[in-house]
Amino acid sequence: MFAHLYDDVDPSSSYTTSDAQVLWMMNHALEEETDPVDRHGQQEFLGSADYLSNYGMTRLIPDMQAAATEVLKGKQLRDLFNTSILHETIVQILNMFTTMGSPHHWVNYLVPENAMLYKHQRAMSNISLCPDFSKLDQLMAETRAVLSSDDFGSVVEISLRTMVDAVMEDIGVQPGGGSLSSGMPLAKLLPRIAQTSPLLLEQPSRNRFIQIIQSLPEVELFFTLLYANISP
């Protein structure tokens, strides 16, 4: 598990070269002591980082669309939206999305709900996979436990609120006819919202929204405590 710490070392952070070397040595020692089967499971777990883009998005997008459709039901393109109404509408959509289905259902977008099915999908694309997936099962279960925890839920809530505020700032400063503060028809507002979408999907190194979330004290504290409790 020290591999996560080593991979996350940022050259611009407070880590020194010796700090990175210590992390590398600890990770290297762990790999030498780890059973090959367990080590393979760890590598498979790291390979699951693309689960959201490969599998989760196919469920997330229609679910988010369903939440937006429910909240916007009855709205007309001529209806006027100002800053407060738009902010409230976005929050309502997020609340609808996060409360749809079973508690913490959104975790299934990030981590496989059925580990056996996911392992089968992975095996179909890589015939060299080891048949013993006990370590992968363990890591998947631990990850789901963290993502389903109340502490992580609080971090997500704070992050979403911060994201909404940042998105509102971007929409408010976009050029175009009409003023959001005084109100504009939904038909004119939708293109502004669409222009903001690509900014949300920029690479992490250039993504202003991710950088804002990373700098939140609550987020920093959560991951500090999480890493402090990581055991091999």
Side-chain angles (χ1 to χ4, degrees):
M1 295 297 289
F2 283 109
H4 295 287
L5 295 175
Y6 181 68
D7 290 339
D8 287 338
V9 171
D10 184 350
S12 63
S13 70
S14 59
Y15 279 108
T16 64
T17 302
S18 59
D19 293 326
Q21 289 174 340
V22 169
L23 287 175
W24 181 87
M25 291 172 63
M26 295 172 70
N27 181 55
H28 184 66
L30 176 61
E31 288 184 346
E32 289 184 340
E33 296 174 0
T34 302
D35 182 270
V37 173
D38 283 351
R39 187 160 61 247
H40 185 84
Q42 291 175 350
Q43 294 302 317
E44 282 300 300
F45 174 73
L46 294 176
S48 70
D50 62 355
Y51 181 81
L52 172 62
S53 58
N54 287 339
Y55 306 103
M57 290 296 290
T58 59
R59 299 174 58 185
L60 186 152
I61 292 175
D63 286 351
M64 181 62 77
Q65 289 175 334
T69 299
E70 181 64 25
V71 171
L72 294 174
K73 185 185 301 181
K75 300 291 185 182
Q76 303 294 324
L77 292 176
R78 63 176 178 272
D79 290 347
L80 291 179
F81 276 68
N82 57 26
T83 304
S84 60
I85 294 176
L86 177 60
H87 186 281
E88 180 183 355
T89 301
I90 295 176
V91 171
Q92 288 177 349
I93 292 173
L94 289 175
N95 288 339
M96 176 67 66
F97 171 74
T98 55
T99 56
M100 292 171 58
S102 60
H104 309 298
H105 75 99
W106 50 270
V107 174
N108 296 328
Y109 306 128
L110 307 175
V111 182
E113 181 179 10
N114 187 325
M116 292 298 295
L117 177 60
Y118 175 71
K119 288 182 290 189
H120 175 71
Q121 292 171 330
R122 295 281 295 176
M124 291 295 290
S125 61
N126 188 347
I127 60 175
S128 65
L129 289 180
C130 179
D132 189 339
F133 295 98
S134 58
K135 189 62 176 181
L136 177 60
D137 288 336
Q138 174 192 342
L139 294 173
M140 288 290 187
E142 291 175 354
T143 300
R144 291 188 67 88
V146 170
L147 297 180
S148 301
S149 67
D150 291 339
D151 289 340
F152 186 76
S154 297
V155 169
V156 170
E157 183 178 351
I158 293 171
S159 299
L160 288 177
R161 288 204 306 263
T162 303
M163 281 284 291
V164 172
D165 292 341
V167 169
M168 290 297 302
E169 290 179 6
D170 277 18
I171 294 176
V173 300
Q174 286 180 6
S179 171
L180 183 58
S181 59
S182 59
M184 66 172 55
L186 180 58
K188 289 187 176 181
L189 179 59
L190 290 177
R192 287 197 177 193
I193 297 175
Q195 291 175 19
T196 305
S197 299
L199 300 177
L200 297 170
L201 302 177
E202 282 191 329
Q203 293 294 326
S205 60
R206 303 193 306 269
N207 194 309
R208 184 174 77 89
F209 302 102
I210 291 180
Q211 293 169 2
I212 291 174
I213 291 177
Q214 287 177 331
S215 65
L216 291 174
E218 295 85 356
V219 173
E220 293 180 347
L221 177 60
F222 175 83
F223 284 103
T224 297
L225 295 176
L226 178 64
Y227 287 145
N229 286 280
I230 287 179
S231 59

